[in-house]
Amino acid sequence: VFVVEGKEVPVGELTIDWGQKSFVYDGQPKEPVITVKDRETTLTKGTHYLVEYKDNVNVGTAKAIVKGIEPYVEEVTNTFTITAAPIGDDDDEPGPGPVPVGGLSKFDATYVYDGEGHTINTQALYAVTLVGSTPSFSFSLDGETGWQNDPFVYTNVGEYVMWYKITAPNYADYKHQAKVTIQPLVLTVTFDANGGSCPMASKTVTHGATYGTLPTPTWTGHIFAGWYTAASGGDEVKDSTAVSIMAPQTLYAHWVSVTGVSAKQRYPWNGLVDITVAFEGESNDVAKVDCSFIATNSATKAALSVASITRKGADSGKDNTWSRRFVWDAGSDVGAVKIDDVALVVAARIPVEGGVQLWENGPYWAECNVGATKPEECGYYFMWGDTVGYKRNGESWDAVDGSK
């Protein structure tokens, strides 16, 4: 060492290599390696000088101080920097595991619609740790503005994208997109024919959509009244009904049974026939029955013309009956009646009740109240016997055309 005995040498006159100028924060003290020379001689740390570091852990400007040991005196200070550590990048998102196929982030989340609110996988996001720092998180829809502490929450079916940001002391802010996917809730609906037969055992439906085409069950002697959520009562479900269920469902067929079909000539002289059909079923179901009567003359196969249709009301004590009247040819018979898709055979011949026929193939007239059994017999005929095409004339009946 080239030192004149007894002479002090200021450290500032020595040659000092301060080493690395910049470091990236990692939570550890940063101590650049320093080399000190007196001319061509490299001095020894701890023998000729000491080194002290200040503010050399966190991001910012740190100091390295070289202090001389006699005969070297005084001290010299130099600075170096510690820069913020990256949390991640697009190719190295923080947190364990890979980005799912087709996803945006390790924190993507996929759900099936359940009516609840959902967001990205914050459980995994909040588990991200950083050396020496506690991270905080915020969320934005566009990644630039509107940052908030709570993640955005979604309820309806769809795909939603938000940005998350991680901030922490000594770390550069990190932001990245993440996706929330809420898939449709698809459920199985099972059909219970409730006594009948159904061509379809079940079908799948999607919550929020409509049920779509529902099967039509059959049951001999019964009229299908619709699908319901219960075997008795319940709510009706139609093709157009919106699916609101959250679990698999069974739909039950409701039926209206036909308890009686009768045909009666209303009056023996006027050619009108009453067809009455009695039903049994729940009142709401019976009210929906569409009676589509089809009656034919069995001899000619010609359709009988319809005069009127009435629904018997509660005031008559026949709430669950339908009645329809047809123009009928005396002596013929009605072949069948059809109610919805249920064909019902009516009595082969409609009897002529309480009447006498004036002549062969002629009209029928009411009997008199004193027991007459044929025209012109003793007694008086009721005036309501004066019907189509004929007028009473004293003790005889005259046709409109003047015949007797």
Side-chain angles (χ1 to χ4, degrees):
V1 178
F2 302 97
V3 176
V4 177
E5 187 175 349
K7 183 180 180 181
E8 295 179 342
V9 178
V11 173
E13 296 179 3
L14 302 177
T15 302
I16 302 175
D17 181 352
W18 294 97
Q20 190 171 334
K21 305 295 184 183
S22 179
F23 297 84
V24 175
Y25 172 84
D26 62 6
Q28 300 299 315
K30 301 305 173 192
E31 298 180 352
V33 176
I34 297 175
T35 303
V36 181
K37 288 186 177 182
D38 186 352
R39 298 178 220 183
E40 299 300 323
T41 301
T42 300
L43 303 184
T44 303
K45 181 180 177 182
T47 300
H48 302 109
Y49 64 94
L50 298 174
V51 178
E52 180 183 354
Y53 298 96
K54 291 184 177 181
D55 303 323
N56 64 329
V57 176
N58 295 324
V59 170
T61 300
K63 295 178 180 180
I65 305 170
V66 175
K67 297 180 179 181
I69 298 176
E70 193 176 354
Y72 300 102
V73 295
E74 301 177 0
E75 62 184 43
V76 178
T77 300
N78 192 54
T79 60
F80 60 95
T81 58
I82 300 176
T83 60
I87 294 175
D89 56 39
D90 288 339
D91 297 324
D92 186 22
E93 192 179 14
V99 175
V101 176
L104 298 176
S105 166
K106 295 178 181 180
F107 308 113
D108 288 352
T110 299
Y111 307 89
V112 174
Y113 175 82
D114 60 3
E116 302 293 332
H118 296 288
T119 189
I120 62 175
N121 188 356
T122 52
Q123 182 177 358
L125 176 62
Y126 293 158
V128 170
T129 59
L130 301 174
V131 175
S133 293
T134 299
S136 59
F137 306 88
S138 56
F139 305 88
S140 169
L141 292 178
D142 62 12
E144 298 296 334
T145 60
W147 291 97
Q148 62 183 45
N149 293 330
D150 296 321
F152 297 90
V153 175
Y154 304 96
T155 301
N156 296 325
V157 172
E159 288 189 349
Y160 308 92
V161 175
M162 72 179 76
W163 288 80
Y164 71 86
K165 181 167 64 175
I166 303 175
T167 57
N170 299 307
Y171 287 86
D173 289 354
Y174 179 80
K175 62 183 181 180
H176 198 283
Q177 286 181 301
K179 181 169 62 176
V180 180
T181 301
I182 301 179
Q183 298 175 339
L185 174 61
V186 179
L187 297 163
T188 298
V189 173
T190 301
F191 300 103
D192 186 330
N194 206 12
S197 299
C198 185
M200 181 186 297
S202 64
K203 71 174 294 186
T204 57
V205 297
T206 301
H207 182 95
T210 61
Y211 279 81
T213 303
L214 298 175
T216 301
T218 56
W219 189 1
T220 301
H222 292 72
I223 301 166
F224 176 56
W227 290 107
Y228 284 78
T229 56
S232 178
D235 298 318
E236 186 177 11
V237 173
K238 301 179 180 180
D239 296 2
S240 59
T241 300
V243 179
S244 60
I245 55 174
M246 301 297 293
Q249 179 184 48
T250 298
L251 293 181
Y252 300 86
H254 277 203
W255 301 96
V256 174
S257 61
V258 179
T259 58
V261 180
S262 62
K264 182 178 181 180
Q265 184 179 0
R266 189 171 180 82
Y267 302 115
W269 60 85
N270 64 5
L272 295 182
V273 176
D274 284 342
I275 303 293
T276 300
V277 182
F279 304 106
E280 183 177 287
E282 297 184 27
S283 58
N284 289 340
D285 296 336
V286 172
K288 296 190 305 179
V289 173
D290 180 16
C291 290
S292 176
F293 289 81
I294 300 174
T296 57
N297 183 309
S298 63
T300 64
K301 304 303 180 183
L304 301 179
S305 60
V306 178
S308 63
I309 179 169
T310 58
R311 173 72 184 271
K312 298 297 184 183
D315 56 345
S316 69
K318 300 178 180 179
D319 188 30
N320 290 352
T321 62
W322 279 97
S323 179
R324 196 162 194 172
R325 185 174 300 168
F326 298 88
V327 176
W328 173 70
D329 296 326
S332 299
D333 59 84
V334 175
V337 174
K338 186 175 184 181
I339 302 91
D340 281 343
D341 292 327
V342 180
L344 303 155
V345 176
V346 183
R349 176 170 289 275
I350 299 173
V352 176
E353 299 178 357
V356 293
Q357 194 170 24
L358 295 179
W359 55 81
E360 184 177 359
N361 296 323
Y364 283 77
W365 301 83
E367 293 180 355
C368 69
N369 61 349
V370 293
T373 59
K374 63 182 180 180
E376 307 300 334
E377 202 170 60
C378 65
Y380 290 96
Y381 293 91
F382 293 124
M383 291 304 292
W384 45 257
D386 296 342
T387 59
V388 180
Y390 294 87
K391 303 287 284 186
R392 183 173 178 225
N393 182 14
E395 297 299 321
S396 66
W397 301 96
D398 297 340
V400 174
D401 62 4
S403 60
K404 299 293 185 178

